[in-house]
Amino acid sequence: MKILKKCLMFASCAMFFMLPTISSANDHLPEEVKALKSAYDTFETLLDKYDHWVINQVNDQEERLKVLKFGVEPFTLAEGETKEVEIPADLMRVISAFDKFDVYGSGFNKTNLIEAVIPTKGNIGAVSSPWIADTHYQIRITTFTLDHVAELARGDEAYSGYKFILTGPVDVKGIELSSNNGASMTMDTTAWEVLGGDKEILDGIEVTVDATNRLSIEGITTFEGDKFRNHAGSASDHPDTQKTSVYYTSKNFYPGRQIYKFGPTLEIGYDASLPKLKEDPENPGYATYDVLKAHMQNGSNKIAFFDRAFGEDLEYTLCFDNWPSW
C-alpha cells in the first residue's frame, strides 16, 4: 500500500510539471504577453519531437523555422469517407508564429473543401487559402484565433480539440506548419521592459549644457530636409508607381533614388513579352544591344511624365546593380 501511495504521489507531481506553465522570470509582463512568451519558449522541445526544416535569416543568421511537420501518418479516403485530424496541442500553441498550414497529397481539386473544428464553436465549415492545387492544399493560420490566457486556463485541455475534417476521395501524405521567411523561435519582450535595464549604472557623470553654442555636423547647422524625404521609387516606371510618386511629391517628398537591376530586368526579364538581353557571341563580356529598343520604346513618354510631375530641376539619383551573368 505504501508503495502504491508513493507511485500515485510521483504520478501526480509528474502531471503537474507537464501542465503549461509560465516562468516567474516573466512576471513583469502583461498576462497576454506572458502567455504568448511561454508558447515561444516551447520551440526547443518541439524541434526534438517533430521533423522540421530550419533556415538562417540572411542579415543576422538567426535560425528560423520554415517547416514544422505534424507527424501524421499518410492515409487514403474513399469517396464520401471522412476523417478527423486533430492538431497536436503543442503545435497549436505556436501556430501564430507561422503563415499557413500545408496539406500534401492528391485529389484536393476533386473533393470537398477541408473543414475545421474549434472546441468552443464546433465545426466552422470549409477553410482554405485562395490557392488550392490537386497535390497541395493551403489553410490560413488565421482560421484559428487563439486567446493564450484563456487556453492556459483550460488546464490539461489547453490548446486541444482543434481539428481538420477531410472528405474523400483524397490521398494525404502529410500536414505541416510553414512560414515563407521562416518563423522566429524567440519572442522579444524588451518593449515591456525598462529601457537600459540590463546595462551598468554609471555614477559621477556630469553633463555641461551651453544653450548659446550652436552645434553643427561637419559645418552643417540646418536640417537638410530633402535628404531625408526621398522615397525609393522610380518616377517614370509603372503607372501605379507614377501615381505614388505624384502623391508623395504633393507631400513634399521626392522620388530621389532608384536601383536599376540589369540582370533581373533585362537578362531574366520581369516582363515575359519583352526580348531578353544576351551576350554578344562575337564580343564576349558585352551584350547585344538590339533588345534595348523594345525595352525603351516608351522612354519619351516616361521622360515627359517625369518633367511634368517633378520639374526639370529635380536632382535624381539612379543606381545600377545586379549585372548580367556574363
Side-chain angles (χ1 to χ4, degrees), residues 150-161:
E151 285 294 336
L152 292 175
R154 294 173 62 197
D156 291 347
E157 301 298 319
Y159 301 99
S160 65

Side-chain angles (χ1 to χ4, degrees), residues 79 87 135 182 184 192 253 288:
E79 185 170 357
I87 303 170
T135 59
S184 176
W192 293 273
F253 283 78
T288 55

Side-chain angles (χ1 to χ4, degrees), residues 6 8 19 56 74 82 97-98 100 134 137 143 173 178 181-182 207 220 224 235 238 255 271 292 299 302 310:
K6 289 182 179 180
L8 290 173
L19 292 177
N56 291 99
T82 63
F98 295 88
K100 61 185 183 299
D134 186 65
Y137 192 108
T143 295
K173 294 182 178 179
S178 68
N181 297 316
V207 178
I220 299 174
E224 297 181 326
H238 190 277
D271 188 342
L292 296 181
K302 292 182 178 181
F310 309 107

Side-chain angles (χ1 to χ4, degrees), residues 281-298:
E282 298 181 1
N283 193 10
Y286 291 84
T288 55
Y289 301 111
D290 54 311
V291 303
L292 296 181
K293 183 176 181 180
H295 282 267
M296 306 302 173
Q297 59 184 337
N298 294 322

Side-chain angles (χ1 to χ4, degrees), residues 52 71 74 76 86 90 100 105 115 125 127 156-157 201 205 241 249-250 273 279 293 314:
H52 57 275
T76 299
E86 182 165 357
D90 51 0
K100 61 185 183 299
E115 298 177 343
V127 293
D156 291 347
E157 301 298 319
I201 297 176
I205 303 298
T241 307
T249 303
S250 69
S273 65
E279 185 179 20
K293 183 176 181 180
L314 175 66

Side-chain angles (χ1 to χ4, degrees), residues 114-118 122-127 143-144 163-165:
I114 295 175
E115 298 177 343
V117 174
I118 296 177
N123 190 328
I124 62 171
V127 293
T143 295
F144 304 106
K163 304 174 183 178
F164 292 126
I165 301 177

Side-chain angles (χ1 to χ4, degrees), residues 37-318:
K37 175 67 165 58
S38 70
Y40 272 81
D41 290 343
T42 66
F43 269 115
E44 185 174 350
T45 302
L46 298 179
L47 297 186
D48 292 334
K49 183 177 180 181
Y50 297 99
D51 289 339
H52 57 275
W53 176 15
V54 172
I55 61 174
N56 291 99
Q57 205 273 344
V58 174
N59 293 333
D60 59 8
Q61 293 300 298
E62 176 194 10
E63 287 192 340
R64 289 180 170 242
L65 192 53
K66 189 172 180 65
V67 170
L68 192 57
K69 298 186 178 182
F70 277 35
V72 175
E73 291 294 328
F75 60 88
T76 299
L77 298 176
E79 185 170 357
E81 186 180 3
T82 63
K83 179 180 177 66
E84 288 188 353
V85 176
E86 182 165 357
I87 303 170
D90 51 0
L91 295 185
M92 193 68 201
R93 192 176 184 182
V94 298
I95 64 166
S96 61
F98 295 88
D99 299 331
K100 61 185 183 299
F101 297 93
D102 289 308
V103 186
Y104 292 100
S106 62
F108 295 119
N109 282 341
K110 304 180 182 67
T111 187
N112 296 339
L113 295 176
I114 295 175
E115 298 177 343
V117 174
I118 296 177
T120 57
K121 298 180 180 180
N123 190 328
I124 62 171
V127 293
S128 69
S129 75
W131 186 84
I132 300 173
D134 186 65
T135 59
H136 184 191
Y137 192 108
Q138 295 181 354
I139 302 171
R140 293 184 180 93
I141 286 295
T142 51
T143 295
F144 304 106
T145 302
L146 290 179
D147 180 336
H148 289 275
V149 175
E151 285 294 336
L152 292 175
R154 294 173 62 197
D156 291 347
E157 301 298 319
Y159 301 99
S160 65
Y162 294 87
K163 304 174 183 178
F164 292 126
I165 301 177
L166 295 92
T167 303
V170 69
D171 290 310
V172 175
K173 294 182 178 179
I175 305 175
E176 59 191 39
L177 288 164
S178 68
S179 173
N180 292 336
N181 297 316
S184 176
M185 293 182 281
T186 59
M187 181 179 175
D188 184 0
T189 59
T190 54
W192 293 273
E193 297 171 2
V194 177
L195 185 63
D198 59 338
K199 305 299 181 183
E200 179 185 359
I201 297 176
L202 303 178
D203 295 324
I205 303 298
E206 294 183 0
V207 178
T208 301
V209 178
D210 183 358
T212 65
N213 185 17
R214 191 173 187 181
L215 299 179
S216 70
I217 300 177
E218 296 183 352
I220 299 174
T221 58
T222 58
F223 179 73
E224 297 181 326
D226 59 322
K227 291 185 178 180
F228 296 90
R229 291 202 296 265
N230 290 349
H231 72 90
S234 172
S236 56
D237 205 344
H238 190 277
D240 288 338
T241 307
Q242 294 178 357
K243 293 176 184 177
T244 61
S245 297
V246 171
Y247 171 81
Y248 282 118
T249 303
S250 69
K251 304 296 182 182
N252 293 322
F253 283 78
Y254 316 107
R257 62 184 184 274
Q258 173 70 1
I259 297 177
Y260 191 90
K261 301 178 179 180
F262 285 101
T265 305
L266 298 177
E267 182 184 5
I268 300 173
Y270 293 121
D271 188 342
S273 65
L274 292 174
K276 306 296 185 290
L277 190 69
K278 297 180 180 179
E279 185 179 20
D280 187 346
E282 298 181 1
N283 193 10
Y286 291 84
T288 55
Y289 301 111
D290 54 311
V291 303
L292 296 181
K293 183 176 181 180
H295 282 267
M296 306 302 173
Q297 59 184 337
N298 294 322
S300 59
N301 293 334
K302 292 182 178 181
I303 293 172
F305 169 83
F306 190 101
D307 291 342
R308 184 172 66 255
F310 309 107
E312 297 180 1
D313 60 343
L314 175 66
E315 294 183 2
Y316 185 82
T317 301
L318 181 63

